[in-house]
Amino acid sequence: DFYFCTHPNIFKCSYKDRKIMLDTGINNRFTVFLGGTCNDSKWRDKLIPMLHIKYFNPVVDDWNEEAQKREINERLYDDFLLYTITPKMIGVYSIAEVVEDSIKHSDRTVLCLLPEDDEVKFTYPQWKSLVQVAKMVYENGAVVFSSLENVANYLNSNYNERNNIRYDGCVNNVDGNIE
């Protein structure tokens, strides 16, 4: 198991601009884009109950132009861009998205690699390749995890930090767990 963690500035605007937006109520929301593996993977169903923030789930029954436009808009404006990759992945577009976002928006990109999904596992060569992608994403300044619990803790702790809500413990720099 591996964990990479950095402490990026979670806001895409300058502090001054973000403070003005918060003080005036403009864009006063905190959201995460739930990108990554589809193909009947249930990772979103497991993560959503753990989140204390709003989320955008791009999975829809009918993928049409309207759904595509909404996804593009969410990727532009959500506070976090989460890409969870599981062995149920068929296409590789999510890999391209997370690499691109780790370059363009490293301060809000999160990658989660799950080695197993409903007893389906990555092959050794697939996992080895994904670990290299994770290193690339991390070196670009994004955050990388290998469990949904650590992703939820990281996202929730950033939300709580923004809203001056404190835990009784501290956030472990190694894996994002709350101690």
Side-chain angles (χ1 to χ4, degrees):
D1 212 18
F2 63 91
Y3 299 96
F4 301 104
C5 187
T6 60
H7 291 283
N9 175 3
I10 63 172
F11 306 113
K12 56 190 169 287
C13 302
S14 71
Y15 175 78
K16 180 180 175 185
D17 291 343
R18 188 67 174 190
K19 184 162 177 27
I20 290 168
M21 291 168 70
L22 290 172
D23 290 345
T24 60
I26 298 170
N27 195 26
N28 194 8
R29 63 186 193 133
F30 199 76
T31 57
V32 59
F33 170 80
L34 303 179
T37 302
C38 295
N39 197 30
D40 205 32
S41 178
K42 302 297 182 210
W43 72 265
R44 289 175 182 86
D45 297 334
K46 294 173 186 172
L47 177 67
I48 288 170
M50 293 188 272
L51 293 176
H52 301 159
I53 64 174
K54 295 177 183 178
Y55 59 87
F56 173 71
N57 183 352
V59 178
V60 293
D61 292 332
D62 181 24
W63 184 252
N64 56 33
E65 189 175 333
E66 182 180 327
Q68 187 176 14
K69 285 180 183 177
R70 181 156 185 224
E71 178 177 320
I72 291 168
N73 188 61
E74 291 292 335
R75 279 183 65 207
L76 286 172
Y77 296 107
D78 283 352
D79 296 290
F80 284 103
L81 305 169
L82 169 64
Y83 297 93
T84 299
I85 306 301
T86 82
K88 287 190 172 185
M89 175 182 74
I90 293 176
V92 295
Y93 187 67
S94 291
I95 301 295
E97 286 179 308
V98 72
V99 170
E100 177 184 43
D101 283 341
S102 76
I103 294 167
K104 292 181 178 179
H105 312 289
S106 63
D107 59 336
R108 58 191 183 108
T109 300
V110 179
L111 172 60
C112 179
L113 295 181
L114 298 179
E116 191 173 325
D117 190 351
D118 289 335
E119 299 183 18
V120 178
K121 295 181 179 182
F122 286 112
T123 65
Y124 177 76
Q126 289 171 325
W127 186 250
K128 190 175 174 183
S129 177
L130 286 170
V131 167
Q132 293 305 309
V133 170
K135 287 179 182 178
M136 181 186 311
V137 167
Y138 173 75
E139 288 170 2
N140 287 339
V143 182
V144 178
F145 295 105
S146 60
S147 81
L148 293 175
E149 293 79 11
N150 289 339
V151 168
N153 285 338
Y154 176 78
L155 295 172
N156 292 334
S157 68
N158 276 291
Y159 167 78
N160 290 335
E161 218 172 88
R162 171 184 167 188
N163 289 293
N164 294 320
I165 300 169
R166 300 285 181 223
Y167 289 104
D168 290 337
C170 65
V171 175
N172 180 329
N173 291 348
V174 176
D175 62 10
N177 282 331
I178 297 170
E179 298 181 319

